[in-house]
């Protein structure tokens, strides 16, 4: 009987293989490896909490089912890790940028804003849902090129000094805005959290696949102070994965996926 089960697994495709939970890899935290690791195991950065890694290993079948669903739904590059240690190249430009338009339920604080197509489509639907709740979403910043980010960062260094500039803005290549899937809403100040739009995003952003990149109290993890206005589109399934398995911390999820993708060669 056992033998039959194993043979059946061998015939299945990679996606269906996820159902045979024993085949899914074990994760361990870098610098914290158990004495004897299973053959199929990989290290995740130590910044991902022990409790999260433990919960994943304890229920690998359910976790990897949700992970593979989120990755399968990714229309390309939505889950790329971009932070102070993982930079995009100077020449990277998102493949399917579309101009944010007038006549949509969202408003624009200035001209020349754009996002990747999937992010814009989600934003348009989300803004309509917000409007039904009496809330207006106003986009103040979106895609930024490597060169534009360089200008923003250098201006911040001039005005704030190096240390403050690094808390508030990204060096060129390390901004999520270069991905074309991140946007800043409203005032781009802490006051945004207190507005109807700020509260609506916390309550409903995830339902539309948007994730708060730099939550309050996680500066040692993300490298940035709390930014209630900065949202990144990761897709509905990934936002759900983030909430259910990663304590709703985007950085944990993206670091984990980055390590897993390197391990699995995907
Ligand atoms: Zn931002």
């Amino acid at each position: 009987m056992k033998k039959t089960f194993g043979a059946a697994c061998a015939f299945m495709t990679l996606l269906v293989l996820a159902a045979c939970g024993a085949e899914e890899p074990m994760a361990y935290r870098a610098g914290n490896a158990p004495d004897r690791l299973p053959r199929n195991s990989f290290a995740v950065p130590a910044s991902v909490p022990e409790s999260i890694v433990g919960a994943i290993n304890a229920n690998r079948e359910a976790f990897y089912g949700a992970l593979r669903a989120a990755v399968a739904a990714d229309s390309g590059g939505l889950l790329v890790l971009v932070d102070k240690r993982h930079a995009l190249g100077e020449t990277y430009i998102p493949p399917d940028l579309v101009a944010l338009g007038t006549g949509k339920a969202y408003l624009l604080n200035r001209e020349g804003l754009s996002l990747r197509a999937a992010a814009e489509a989600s934003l348009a639907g989300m803004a309509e849902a917000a409007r039904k709740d009496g809330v207006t979403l106003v986009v103040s910043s979106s895609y930024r090129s490597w060169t534009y980010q360089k200008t923003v960062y250098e201006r911040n260094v001039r005005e704030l000094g190096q240390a403050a500039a690094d808390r508030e803005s990204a060096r060129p290549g390390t901004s999520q805005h270069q991905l074309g899937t991140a946007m800043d809403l409203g005032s781009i100040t802490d006051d945004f959290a207190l507005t109807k739009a700020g509260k609506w995003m916390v309550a409903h952003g995830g339902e539309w696949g948007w994730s708060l990149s730099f939550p309050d109290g996680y500066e040692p993890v993300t490298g940035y102070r709390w930014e209630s206005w900065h949202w990144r589109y990761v897709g509905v399934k990934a936002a759900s994965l983030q909430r259910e398995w990663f304590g709703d911390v985007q950085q944990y999820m993206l670091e984990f996926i980055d390590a897993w993708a390197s391990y699995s060669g995907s």
Side-chain angles (χ1 to χ4, degrees):
M1 195 62 196
K2 229 177 177 182
K3 203 173 176 186
T4 312
F5 182 70
C9 270
F11 279 101
M12 292 176 181
T13 63
L14 191 69
L15 200 70
V16 182
L17 196 64
C20 308
E23 300 294 332
E24 296 291 6
M26 186 81 84
Y28 66 93
R29 297 168 82 227
N32 190 23
D35 290 343
R36 268 177 303 176
L37 289 167
R39 189 173 42 81
N40 57 334
S41 59
F42 67 99
V44 295
S47 53
V48 180
E50 184 88 63
S51 57
I52 287 177
V53 177
I56 286 169
N57 286 332
N59 200 350
R60 284 188 281 167
E61 199 173 323
F63 169 74
Y64 282 102
L67 174 64
R68 289 180 189 282
V71 170
D74 182 357
S75 58
L78 296 183
L79 301 174
V80 166
L81 177 62
V82 175
D83 60 18
K84 290 188 174 178
R85 286 167 291 125
H86 301 84
L88 294 165
E90 185 172 347
T91 55
Y92 176 77
I93 298 169
D96 50 4
L97 287 173
V98 295
L100 300 196
T102 51
K104 303 284 180 98
Y106 55 78
L107 296 182
L108 305 173
N109 248 344
R110 59 187 178 87
E111 293 181 346
L113 297 175
S114 58
L115 285 171
R116 290 190 62 186
E120 194 281 334
S122 169
L123 168 62
M126 178 167 73
E128 276 186 33
R131 188 163 66 182
K132 285 181 186 143
D133 290 342
V135 173
T136 305
L137 300 181
V138 182
V139 185
S140 297
S141 185
S142 53
Y143 166 68
R144 289 182 211 145
S145 68
W146 189 97
T147 308
Y148 182 76
Q149 187 65 32
K150 185 167 183 280
T151 310
V152 171
Y153 177 74
E154 286 174 351
R155 187 183 63 221
N156 279 332
V157 170
R158 273 197 312 277
E159 291 176 1
L160 306 168
Q162 182 89 57
D166 280 328
R167 286 187 79 202
E168 307 249 345
S169 62
R171 292 172 190 235
T174 69
S175 170
Q176 291 188 346
H177 286 283
Q178 193 181 340
L179 288 167
T181 53
M183 64 179 176
D184 296 333
L185 293 173
S187 59
I188 319 190
T189 64
D190 288 339
D191 294 344
F192 177 71
L194 305 172
T195 63
K196 273 161 73 175
K199 290 172 183 169
W200 193 91
M201 283 301 295
V202 169
H204 300 290
E207 295 162 20
W208 292 89
W210 292 84
S211 155
L212 183 70
S213 299
F214 313 120
D216 196 5
Y218 286 89
E219 184 168 351
V221 175
T222 66
Y224 294 99
R225 73 182 199 88
W226 179 40
E227 292 192 0
S228 61
W229 59 86
H230 178 107
W231 292 80
R232 174 173 170 179
Y233 181 70
V234 293
V236 172
K237 288 202 162 75
S240 165
L241 181 77
Q242 175 184 312
R243 191 171 55 248
E244 286 171 27
W245 290 93
F246 292 98
D248 213 13
V249 177
Q250 182 195 106
Q251 184 77 17
Y252 293 158
M253 176 177 74
L254 296 184
E255 286 192 12
F256 187 98
I257 290 176
D258 187 61
W260 171 77
S262 303
Y263 162 79
S264 61
S266 59

